[in-house]
Amino acid sequence: MEFVLYEVKDAVGIITISREKALNALNSQVLEELDAVLDAVDLESVRCLILTGAGQKSFVAGADIGEMSTLSKAEGEAFGKKGNDVFLKLESFPIPVIAAVNGFALGGGCEISMSCDIRICSENALFGQPEAGLGITPGFGGTQRLARLVGAGMAKQMIYTARNIDANEALRIGLVNAVYPQEELMAAAEKMAAGIAKQAPIAVRNCKKAINEGLQVSISEGVAIEEKLFGDCFATEDQRAGMGNFLKKKDDPTKVKVVAFQNK
Ligand code: CAA
């Protein structure tokens, strides 16, 4: 891999988009490498992913404008599909993904962060969908996910005006969950990921599935999805371990013991 780094720390996988000379902009190769890295994640041992960008300036400064500048109509559509396919894979990835947004998150950068489950950012982060100023629409899901995350009115304002927003405004409109000084961002992301990784893994996966799938359907269909996934948990060893641990603690507080969930 030339532009995408992957390391595993305990049960947390860290994916870093590393094309610093272009502010980590997404060209076809970066998209292909991201796709390959996701395929290579060991889902037996890794329970949460963090996605970030290399350096202190940029998370991802968008899709590669140089590469897009000469595309035909058909090639433009194919490039959009290429990004959308990878971002859909990320969004529906079985385990949670935290975006640690360490600087510019513009265009495709904002869009990839929105394909993650949770966004936290550094104080210097800048979010926006500048595409209309480049003569295009957002092409990697921005018209769809921004409206779902921050509401249609705010999404339309950001997209039509192509105006970027800073970290505090992103926090105010609910685009990110928290803002940290740059030097504390990765530690905060790793702490959150470790907190997720120690919960029952099948339950966490089922929660992600229920939330994501439920957001696409009516509330009655959504609760039916939840019922099924809730029921499935009762066929796991982790449910027995988790509840057994709680009941044991109740019987005898000296037996307090942290459960090590088995992913079974
Ligand atoms: N594509 C390709 N190269 C990019 C890039 C991008 N999106 N963003 C930055 N770069 C490159 C620059 O061309 C420059 O390369 P050179 O050194 O070879 O000239 C290098 O990264 C550093 O960039 P700047 O010199 O511009 O850095 P800066 O600090 O002055 O400005 C910036 C930073 C405000 C982020 C500015 O680079 C910028 O506006 N970038 C474009 C942001 C953008 O419009 N993103 C949306 C792209 S469209 C899209 O993403 C479509 C989609 O939805 C699929």
Side-chain angles (χ1 to χ4, degrees):
M1 298 268 168
E2 189 182 350
F3 296 133
V4 179
L5 313 176
Y6 182 60
E7 63 173 315
V8 176
K9 285 191 186 172
D10 298 318
V12 176
I14 303 174
I15 298 175
T16 306
I17 298 176
S18 180
R19 193 183 167 221
E20 262 191 89
K21 68 176 177 49
L23 301 181
N24 305 324
L26 304 171
N27 62 11
S28 291
Q29 187 179 338
V30 177
L31 293 172
E32 281 155 21
E33 291 186 12
L34 262 174
D35 191 54
V37 158
L38 291 174
D39 284 343
V41 172
D42 176 8
L43 289 168
E44 278 304 307
S45 57
V46 175
R47 296 181 180 178
C48 187
L49 290 178
I50 296 170
L51 177 71
T52 194
Q56 307 227 315
K57 185 172 173 183
S58 182
F59 171 67
V60 169
D64 191 292
I65 298 173
E67 182 174 341
M68 285 185 297
S69 62
T70 56
L71 298 183
S72 66
K73 176 173 145 81
E75 288 166 342
E77 196 175 327
F79 187 63
K81 179 166 168 39
K82 189 170 199 148
N84 276 332
D85 285 350
V86 181
F87 289 17
L88 282 167
K89 184 183 267 194
L90 190 61
E91 183 171 56
S92 59
F93 205 65
I95 56 176
V97 186
I98 300 168
V101 178
N102 56 310
F104 296 121
L106 303 175
C110 186
E111 290 168 308
I112 197 170
S113 80
M114 294 191 292
S115 305
C116 299
D117 295 274
I118 294 165
R119 282 150 298 287
I120 59 175
C121 74
S122 54
E123 288 165 342
N124 67 329
L126 202 65
F127 292 82
Q129 298 289 160
E131 287 88 347
L134 294 165
I136 56 174
T137 66
F140 291 167
T143 58
Q144 304 306 305
R145 292 194 181 90
L146 190 58
R148 283 164 166 81
L149 274 170
V150 303
M154 188 58 77
K156 285 176 174 175
Q157 182 179 327
M158 282 178 66
I159 291 171
Y160 299 167
T161 64
R163 189 179 68 84
N164 298 332
I165 59 170
D166 66 15
N168 286 330
E169 195 170 352
L171 182 65
R172 186 181 66 77
I173 67 173
L175 187 54
V176 299
N177 290 6
V179 181
Y180 296 93
Q182 176 75 255
E183 62 279 9
E184 293 171 21
L185 177 67
M186 279 312 287
E190 286 177 33
K191 188 173 171 201
M192 188 188 290
I196 291 170
K198 74 174 191 211
Q199 308 306 322
I202 297 168
V204 171
R205 287 181 188 210
N206 284 6
C207 292
K208 173 166 178 169
K209 214 168 170 341
I211 294 170
N212 279 4
E213 291 181 11
L215 282 171
Q216 310 304 324
V217 297
S218 69
I219 186 73
S220 53
E221 290 166 304
V223 294
I225 291 169
E226 185 190 77
E227 281 160 21
K228 169 83 177 60
L229 291 162
F230 176 68
D232 287 350
C233 293
F234 289 85
T236 67
E237 288 182 21
D238 285 346
Q239 175 265 331
R240 283 182 284 284
M243 292 192 180
N245 184 58
F246 174 82
L247 295 172
K248 208 182 310 166
K249 277 197 293 191
K250 244 172 111 180
D251 278 357
D252 179 356
T254 62
K255 282 191 186 155
V256 170
K257 186 171 146 248
V258 177
V259 237
F261 289 112
Q262 297 303 309
N263 205 6
K264 281 195 244 173

PDB file of all heavy atoms in Angstrom, residues 44-78:
ATOM      1  N   GLU A  44     -12.219 -11.190  13.561  1.00  0.00           N
ATOM      2  CA  GLU A  44     -12.212 -12.011  14.776  1.00  0.00           C
ATOM      3  C   GLU A  44     -11.589 -11.250  15.939  1.00  0.00           C
ATOM      4  O   GLU A  44     -12.039 -11.329  17.064  1.00  0.00           O
ATOM      5  CB  GLU A  44     -11.401 -13.295  14.523  1.00  0.00           C
ATOM      6  CG  GLU A  44     -12.172 -14.381  13.828  1.00  0.00           C
ATOM      7  CD  GLU A  44     -13.452 -14.756  14.585  1.00  0.00           C
ATOM      8  OE1 GLU A  44     -13.361 -15.050  15.792  1.00  0.00           O
ATOM      9  OE2 GLU A  44     -14.530 -14.735  13.965  1.00  0.00           O
ATOM     10  N   SER A  45     -10.509 -10.513  15.623  1.00  0.00           N
ATOM     11  CA  SER A  45      -9.767  -9.879  16.716  1.00  0.00           C
ATOM     12  C   SER A  45      -9.986  -8.369  16.809  1.00  0.00           C
ATOM     13  O   SER A  45      -9.836  -7.782  17.877  1.00  0.00           O
ATOM     14  CB  SER A  45      -8.266 -10.166  16.549  1.00  0.00           C
ATOM     15  OG  SER A  45      -7.841  -9.693  15.282  1.00  0.00           O
ATOM     16  N   VAL A  46     -10.340  -7.728  15.707  1.00  0.00           N
ATOM     17  CA  VAL A  46     -10.486  -6.265  15.730  1.00  0.00           C
ATOM     18  C   VAL A  46     -11.955  -5.919  15.974  1.00  0.00           C
ATOM     19  O   VAL A  46     -12.845  -6.443  15.315  1.00  0.00           O
ATOM     20  CB  VAL A  46      -9.988  -5.652  14.394  1.00  0.00           C
ATOM     21  CG1 VAL A  46     -10.232  -4.159  14.358  1.00  0.00           C
ATOM     22  CG2 VAL A  46      -8.501  -5.934  14.228  1.00  0.00           C
ATOM     23  N   ARG A  47     -12.187  -5.035  16.938  1.00  0.00           N
ATOM     24  CA  ARG A  47     -13.572  -4.754  17.333  1.00  0.00           C
ATOM     25  C   ARG A  47     -14.016  -3.329  17.070  1.00  0.00           C
ATOM     26  O   ARG A  47     -15.176  -2.971  17.247  1.00  0.00           O
ATOM     27  CB  ARG A  47     -13.765  -5.107  18.807  1.00  0.00           C
ATOM     28  CG  ARG A  47     -13.580  -6.595  19.026  1.00  0.00           C
ATOM     29  CD  ARG A  47     -13.771  -7.008  20.455  1.00  0.00           C
ATOM     30  NE  ARG A  47     -13.582  -8.454  20.595  1.00  0.00           N
ATOM     31  CZ  ARG A  47     -13.658  -9.091  21.735  1.00  0.00           C
ATOM     32  NH1 ARG A  47     -13.920  -8.427  22.851  1.00  0.00           N
ATOM     33  NH2 ARG A  47     -13.485 -10.394  21.782  1.00  0.00           N
ATOM     34  N   CYS A  48     -13.088  -2.482  16.684  1.00  0.00           N
ATOM     35  CA  CYS A  48     -13.450  -1.101  16.343  1.00  0.00           C
ATOM     36  C   CYS A  48     -12.353  -0.549  15.447  1.00  0.00           C
ATOM     37  O   CYS A  48     -11.182  -0.922  15.594  1.00  0.00           O
ATOM     38  CB  CYS A  48     -13.558  -0.261  17.622  1.00  0.00           C
ATOM     39  SG  CYS A  48     -14.192   1.411  17.349  1.00  0.00           S
ATOM     40  N   LEU A  49     -12.715   0.311  14.497  1.00  0.00           N
ATOM     41  CA  LEU A  49     -11.724   0.956  13.628  1.00  0.00           C
ATOM     42  C   LEU A  49     -11.697   2.452  13.898  1.00  0.00           C
ATOM     43  O   LEU A  49     -12.719   3.047  14.264  1.00  0.00           O
ATOM     44  CB  LEU A  49     -12.086   0.760  12.151  1.00  0.00           C
ATOM     45  CG  LEU A  49     -11.975  -0.630  11.532  1.00  0.00           C
ATOM     46  CD1 LEU A  49     -12.428  -0.580  10.069  1.00  0.00           C
ATOM     47  CD2 LEU A  49     -10.548  -1.170  11.617  1.00  0.00           C
ATOM     48  N   ILE A  50     -10.522   3.035  13.683  1.00  0.00           N
ATOM     49  CA  ILE A  50     -10.382   4.494  13.669  1.00  0.00           C
ATOM     50  C   ILE A  50      -9.883   4.861  12.279  1.00  0.00           C
ATOM     51  O   ILE A  50      -8.964   4.219  11.756  1.00  0.00           O
ATOM     52  CB  ILE A  50      -9.369   4.972  14.731  1.00  0.00           C
ATOM     53  CG1 ILE A  50      -9.877   4.631  16.143  1.00  0.00           C
ATOM     54  CG2 ILE A  50      -9.113   6.475  14.611  1.00  0.00           C
ATOM     55  CD1 ILE A  50      -8.832   4.851  17.236  1.00  0.00           C
ATOM     56  N   LEU A  51     -10.484   5.882  11.685  1.00  0.00           N
ATOM     57  CA  LEU A  51     -10.011   6.380  10.386  1.00  0.00           C
ATOM     58  C   LEU A  51      -9.492   7.796  10.582  1.00  0.00           C
ATOM     59  O   LEU A  51     -10.197   8.650  11.148  1.00  0.00           O
ATOM     60  CB  LEU A  51     -11.175   6.385   9.379  1.00  0.00           C
ATOM     61  CG  LEU A  51     -10.833   6.962   7.999  1.00  0.00           C
ATOM     62  CD1 LEU A  51      -9.927   6.022   7.218  1.00  0.00           C
ATOM     63  CD2 LEU A  51     -12.116   7.220   7.199  1.00  0.00           C
ATOM     64  N   THR A  52      -8.261   8.040  10.137  1.00  0.00           N
ATOM     65  CA  THR A  52      -7.697   9.388  10.276  1.00  0.00           C
ATOM     66  C   THR A  52      -6.846   9.722   9.053  1.00  0.00           C
ATOM     67  O   THR A  52      -6.711   8.909   8.139  1.00  0.00           O
ATOM     68  CB  THR A  52      -6.904   9.499  11.609  1.00  0.00           C
ATOM     69  OG1 THR A  52      -6.639  10.880  11.881  1.00  0.00           O
ATOM     70  CG2 THR A  52      -5.591   8.722  11.561  1.00  0.00           C
ATOM     71  N   GLY A  53      -6.290  10.943   9.056  1.00  0.00           N
ATOM     72  CA  GLY A  53      -5.419  11.362   7.967  1.00  0.00           C
ATOM     73  C   GLY A  53      -4.016  11.611   8.498  1.00  0.00           C
ATOM     74  O   GLY A  53      -3.833  11.956   9.666  1.00  0.00           O
ATOM     75  N   ALA A  54      -3.018  11.446   7.637  1.00  0.00           N
ATOM     76  CA  ALA A  54      -1.635  11.668   8.071  1.00  0.00           C
ATOM     77  C   ALA A  54      -1.365  13.165   8.227  1.00  0.00           C
ATOM     78  O   ALA A  54      -1.908  13.985   7.487  1.00  0.00           O
ATOM     79  CB  ALA A  54      -0.682  11.068   7.039  1.00  0.00           C
ATOM     80  N   GLY A  55      -0.520  13.504   9.188  1.00  0.00           N
ATOM     81  CA  GLY A  55      -0.120  14.897   9.387  1.00  0.00           C
ATOM     82  C   GLY A  55      -1.070  15.652  10.299  1.00  0.00           C
ATOM     83  O   GLY A  55      -2.025  15.089  10.834  1.00  0.00           O
ATOM     84  N   GLN A  56      -0.774  16.943  10.464  1.00  0.00           N
ATOM     85  CA  GLN A  56      -1.539  17.754  11.419  1.00  0.00           C
ATOM     86  C   GLN A  56      -2.406  18.781  10.720  1.00  0.00           C
ATOM     87  O   GLN A  56      -3.000  19.628  11.358  1.00  0.00           O
ATOM     88  CB  GLN A  56      -0.567  18.474  12.352  1.00  0.00           C
ATOM     89  CG  GLN A  56       0.415  17.527  13.025  1.00  0.00           C
ATOM     90  CD  GLN A  56       0.527  17.773  14.494  1.00  0.00           C
ATOM     91  OE1 GLN A  56       0.621  18.914  14.920  1.00  0.00           O
ATOM     92  NE2 GLN A  56       0.509  16.721  15.295  1.00  0.00           N
ATOM     93  N   LYS A  57      -2.436  18.714   9.401  1.00  0.00           N
ATOM     94  CA  LYS A  57      -3.125  19.781   8.665  1.00  0.00           C
ATOM     95  C   LYS A  57      -4.433  19.313   8.050  1.00  0.00           C
ATOM     96  O   LYS A  57      -5.412  20.056   8.007  1.00  0.00           O
ATOM     97  CB  LYS A  57      -2.170  20.280   7.569  1.00  0.00           C
ATOM     98  CG  LYS A  57      -2.675  21.456   6.787  1.00  0.00           C
ATOM     99  CD  LYS A  57      -1.580  22.006   5.855  1.00  0.00           C
ATOM    100  CE  LYS A  57      -2.153  23.082   4.945  1.00  0.00           C
ATOM    101  NZ  LYS A  57      -1.183  23.609   3.991  1.00  0.00           N
ATOM    102  N   SER A  58      -4.428  18.076   7.565  1.00  0.00           N
ATOM    103  CA  SER A  58      -5.571  17.636   6.775  1.00  0.00           C
ATOM    104  C   SER A  58      -5.994  16.216   7.125  1.00  0.00           C
ATOM    105  O   SER A  58      -5.146  15.326   7.259  1.00  0.00           O
ATOM    106  CB  SER A  58      -5.203  17.706   5.288  1.00  0.00           C
ATOM    107  OG  SER A  58      -6.304  17.334   4.489  1.00  0.00           O
ATOM    108  N   PHE A  59      -7.275  16.041   7.264  1.00  0.00           N
ATOM    109  CA  PHE A  59      -7.863  14.685   7.338  1.00  0.00           C
ATOM    110  C   PHE A  59      -7.907  14.177   5.894  1.00  0.00           C
ATOM    111  O   PHE A  59      -7.077  13.375   5.497  1.00  0.00           O
ATOM    112  CB  PHE A  59      -9.249  14.800   7.982  1.00  0.00           C
ATOM    113  CG  PHE A  59     -10.084  13.557   7.950  1.00  0.00           C
ATOM    114  CD1 PHE A  59      -9.725  12.432   8.681  1.00  0.00           C
ATOM    115  CD2 PHE A  59     -11.266  13.521   7.219  1.00  0.00           C
ATOM    116  CE1 PHE A  59     -10.517  11.282   8.662  1.00  0.00           C
ATOM    117  CE2 PHE A  59     -12.065  12.371   7.202  1.00  0.00           C
ATOM    118  CZ  PHE A  59     -11.689  11.258   7.920  1.00  0.00           C
ATOM    119  N   VAL A  60      -8.790  14.734   5.095  1.00  0.00           N
ATOM    120  CA  VAL A  60      -8.850  14.448   3.655  1.00  0.00           C
ATOM    121  C   VAL A  60      -9.380  15.713   2.983  1.00  0.00           C
ATOM    122  O   VAL A  60     -10.482  16.178   3.308  1.00  0.00           O
ATOM    123  CB  VAL A  60      -9.801  13.263   3.349  1.00  0.00           C
ATOM    124  CG1 VAL A  60     -10.059  13.142   1.853  1.00  0.00           C
ATOM    125  CG2 VAL A  60      -9.242  11.942   3.895  1.00  0.00           C
ATOM    126  N   ALA A  61      -8.598  16.284   2.046  1.00  0.00           N
ATOM    127  CA  ALA A  61      -9.002  17.556   1.415  1.00  0.00           C
ATOM    128  C   ALA A  61      -9.909  17.341   0.205  1.00  0.00           C
ATOM    129  O   ALA A  61     -10.024  18.207  -0.657  1.00  0.00           O
ATOM    130  CB  ALA A  61      -7.770  18.361   1.021  1.00  0.00           C
ATOM    131  N   GLY A  62     -10.539  16.170   0.135  1.00  0.00           N
ATOM    132  CA  GLY A  62     -11.527  15.944  -0.926  1.00  0.00           C
ATOM    133  C   GLY A  62     -11.087  14.911  -1.929  1.00  0.00           C
ATOM    134  O   GLY A  62     -10.025  14.296  -1.798  1.00  0.00           O
ATOM    135  N   ALA A  63     -11.949  14.714  -2.919  1.00  0.00           N
ATOM    136  CA  ALA A  63     -11.557  13.879  -4.047  1.00  0.00           C
ATOM    137  C   ALA A  63     -10.485  14.634  -4.818  1.00  0.00           C
ATOM    138  O   ALA A  63     -10.392  15.870  -4.735  1.00  0.00           O
ATOM    139  CB  ALA A  63     -12.763  13.590  -4.924  1.00  0.00           C
ATOM    140  N   ASP A  64      -9.681  13.896  -5.579  1.00  0.00           N
ATOM    141  CA  ASP A  64      -8.542  14.511  -6.269  1.00  0.00           C
ATOM    142  C   ASP A  64      -9.022  15.352  -7.454  1.00  0.00           C
ATOM    143  O   ASP A  64      -9.539  14.815  -8.439  1.00  0.00           O
ATOM    144  CB  ASP A  64      -7.576  13.413  -6.742  1.00  0.00           C
ATOM    145  CG  ASP A  64      -6.265  14.013  -7.209  1.00  0.00           C
ATOM    146  OD1 ASP A  64      -6.275  14.712  -8.248  1.00  0.00           O
ATOM    147  OD2 ASP A  64      -5.247  13.815  -6.529  1.00  0.00           O
ATOM    148  N   ILE A  65      -8.833  16.668  -7.331  1.00  0.00           N
ATOM    149  CA  ILE A  65      -9.361  17.589  -8.353  1.00  0.00           C
ATOM    150  C   ILE A  65      -8.593  17.421  -9.667  1.00  0.00           C
ATOM    151  O   ILE A  65      -9.183  17.489 -10.746  1.00  0.00           O
ATOM    152  CB  ILE A  65      -9.314  19.046  -7.843  1.00  0.00           C
ATOM    153  CG1 ILE A  65     -10.214  19.185  -6.589  1.00  0.00           C
ATOM    154  CG2 ILE A  65      -9.795  20.020  -8.924  1.00  0.00           C
ATOM    155  CD1 ILE A  65     -10.130  20.524  -5.881  1.00  0.00           C
ATOM    156  N   GLY A  66      -7.296  17.152  -9.568  1.00  0.00           N
ATOM    157  CA  GLY A  66      -6.510  16.932 -10.787  1.00  0.00           C
ATOM    158  C   GLY A  66      -7.065  15.757 -11.571  1.00  0.00           C
ATOM    159  O   GLY A  66      -7.266  15.832 -12.793  1.00  0.00           O
ATOM    160  N   GLU A  67      -7.325  14.657 -10.872  1.00  0.00           N
ATOM    161  CA  GLU A  67      -7.836  13.457 -11.556  1.00  0.00           C
ATOM    162  C   GLU A  67      -9.234  13.712 -12.133  1.00  0.00           C
ATOM    163  O   GLU A  67      -9.548  13.278 -13.248  1.00  0.00           O
ATOM    164  CB  GLU A  67      -7.868  12.271 -10.578  1.00  0.00           C
ATOM    165  CG  GLU A  67      -8.352  10.988 -11.242  1.00  0.00           C
ATOM    166  CD  GLU A  67      -8.262   9.755 -10.345  1.00  0.00           C
ATOM    167  OE1 GLU A  67      -7.514   9.753  -9.346  1.00  0.00           O
ATOM    168  OE2 GLU A  67      -8.965   8.763 -10.661  1.00  0.00           O
ATOM    169  N   MET A  68     -10.045  14.476 -11.392  1.00  0.00           N
ATOM    170  CA  MET A  68     -11.429  14.687 -11.861  1.00  0.00           C
ATOM    171  C   MET A  68     -11.523  15.680 -13.015  1.00  0.00           C
ATOM    172  O   MET A  68     -12.494  15.669 -13.771  1.00  0.00           O
ATOM    173  CB  MET A  68     -12.295  15.220 -10.707  1.00  0.00           C
ATOM    174  CG  MET A  68     -12.682  14.181  -9.676  1.00  0.00           C
ATOM    175  SD  MET A  68     -13.819  14.865  -8.459  1.00  0.00           S
ATOM    176  CE  MET A  68     -12.831  16.125  -7.679  1.00  0.00           C
ATOM    177  N   SER A  69     -10.487  16.541 -13.124  1.00  0.00           N
ATOM    178  CA  SER A  69     -10.610  17.690 -14.032  1.00  0.00           C
ATOM    179  C   SER A  69     -10.847  17.317 -15.494  1.00  0.00           C
ATOM    180  O   SER A  69     -11.435  18.078 -16.243  1.00  0.00           O
ATOM    181  CB  SER A  69      -9.367  18.589 -13.914  1.00  0.00           C
ATOM    182  OG  SER A  69      -8.237  17.853 -14.311  1.00  0.00           O
ATOM    183  N   THR A  70     -10.414  16.115 -15.896  1.00  0.00           N
ATOM    184  CA  THR A  70     -10.536  15.759 -17.317  1.00  0.00           C
ATOM    185  C   THR A  70     -11.594  14.676 -17.572  1.00  0.00           C
ATOM    186  O   THR A  70     -11.658  14.117 -18.671  1.00  0.00           O
ATOM    187  CB  THR A  70      -9.175  15.231 -17.842  1.00  0.00           C
ATOM    188  OG1 THR A  70      -8.785  14.133 -17.007  1.00  0.00           O
ATOM    189  CG2 THR A  70      -8.103  16.306 -17.799  1.00  0.00           C
ATOM    190  N   LEU A  71     -12.392  14.371 -16.561  1.00  0.00           N
ATOM    191  CA  LEU A  71     -13.329  13.258 -16.725  1.00  0.00           C
ATOM    192  C   LEU A  71     -14.484  13.618 -17.658  1.00  0.00           C
ATOM    193  O   LEU A  71     -14.982  14.750 -17.648  1.00  0.00           O
ATOM    194  CB  LEU A  71     -13.919  12.841 -15.359  1.00  0.00           C
ATOM    195  CG  LEU A  71     -12.932  12.314 -14.304  1.00  0.00           C
ATOM    196  CD1 LEU A  71     -13.687  11.885 -13.048  1.00  0.00           C
ATOM    197  CD2 LEU A  71     -12.087  11.158 -14.842  1.00  0.00           C
ATOM    198  N   SER A  72     -14.944  12.631 -18.412  1.00  0.00           N
ATOM    199  CA  SER A  72     -16.157  12.787 -19.229  1.00  0.00           C
ATOM    200  C   SER A  72     -17.365  12.526 -18.324  1.00  0.00           C
ATOM    201  O   SER A  72     -17.216  12.114 -17.169  1.00  0.00           O
ATOM    202  CB  SER A  72     -16.135  11.775 -20.365  1.00  0.00           C
ATOM    203  OG  SER A  72     -16.235  10.467 -19.816  1.00  0.00           O
ATOM    204  N   LYS A  73     -18.544  12.720 -18.869  1.00  0.00           N
ATOM    205  CA  LYS A  73     -19.784  12.455 -18.125  1.00  0.00           C
ATOM    206  C   LYS A  73     -19.811  11.007 -17.588  1.00  0.00           C
ATOM    207  O   LYS A  73     -20.062  10.767 -16.410  1.00  0.00           O
ATOM    208  CB  LYS A  73     -20.952  12.712 -19.085  1.00  0.00           C
ATOM    209  CG  LYS A  73     -22.341  12.413 -18.596  1.00  0.00           C
ATOM    210  CD  LYS A  73     -23.324  12.902 -19.661  1.00  0.00           C
ATOM    211  CE  LYS A  73     -24.560  12.034 -19.813  1.00  0.00           C
ATOM    212  NZ  LYS A  73     -25.604  12.243 -18.883  1.00  0.00           N
ATOM    213  N   ALA A  74     -19.519  10.050 -18.476  1.00  0.00           N
ATOM    214  CA  ALA A  74     -19.560   8.641 -18.052  1.00  0.00           C
ATOM    215  C   ALA A  74     -18.463   8.345 -17.037  1.00  0.00           C
ATOM    216  O   ALA A  74     -18.670   7.616 -16.054  1.00  0.00           O
ATOM    217  CB  ALA A  74     -19.403   7.730 -19.270  1.00  0.00           C
ATOM    218  N   GLU A  75     -17.287   8.925 -17.253  1.00  0.00           N
ATOM    219  CA  GLU A  75     -16.181   8.693 -16.302  1.00  0.00           C
ATOM    220  C   GLU A  75     -16.479   9.341 -14.943  1.00  0.00           C
ATOM    221  O   GLU A  75     -16.119   8.801 -13.901  1.00  0.00           O
ATOM    222  CB  GLU A  75     -14.876   9.262 -16.885  1.00  0.00           C
ATOM    223  CG  GLU A  75     -14.327   8.442 -18.048  1.00  0.00           C
ATOM    224  CD  GLU A  75     -13.247   9.179 -18.846  1.00  0.00           C
ATOM    225  OE1 GLU A  75     -13.143  10.429 -18.737  1.00  0.00           O
ATOM    226  OE2 GLU A  75     -12.526   8.501 -19.602  1.00  0.00           O
ATOM    227  N   GLY A  76     -17.131  10.506 -14.997  1.00  0.00           N
ATOM    228  CA  GLY A  76     -17.516  11.178 -13.744  1.00  0.00           C
ATOM    229  C   GLY A  76     -18.463  10.303 -12.941  1.00  0.00           C
ATOM    230  O   GLY A  76     -18.295  10.123 -11.722  1.00  0.00           O
ATOM    231  N   GLU A  77     -19.435   9.727 -13.632  1.00  0.00           N
ATOM    232  CA  GLU A  77     -20.396   8.866 -12.945  1.00  0.00           C
ATOM    233  C   GLU A  77     -19.685   7.637 -12.365  1.00  0.00           C
ATOM    234  O   GLU A  77     -19.940   7.223 -11.231  1.00  0.00           O
ATOM    235  CB  GLU A  77     -21.486   8.449 -13.948  1.00  0.00           C
ATOM    236  CG  GLU A  77     -22.715   7.883 -13.280  1.00  0.00           C
ATOM    237  CD  GLU A  77     -23.831   7.599 -14.282  1.00  0.00           C
ATOM    238  OE1 GLU A  77     -23.960   8.334 -15.289  1.00  0.00           O
ATOM    239  OE2 GLU A  77     -24.566   6.628 -14.058  1.00  0.00           O
ATOM    240  N   ALA A  78     -18.758   7.079 -13.135  1.00  0.00           N
ATOM    241  CA  ALA A  78     -18.025   5.896 -12.668  1.00  0.00           C
ATOM    242  C   ALA A  78     -17.135   6.242 -11.466  1.00  0.00           C
ATOM    243  O   ALA A  78     -17.009   5.443 -10.523  1.00  0.00           O
ATOM    244  CB  ALA A  78     -17.173   5.330 -13.807  1.00  0.00           C
TER     245      ALA A  78
END
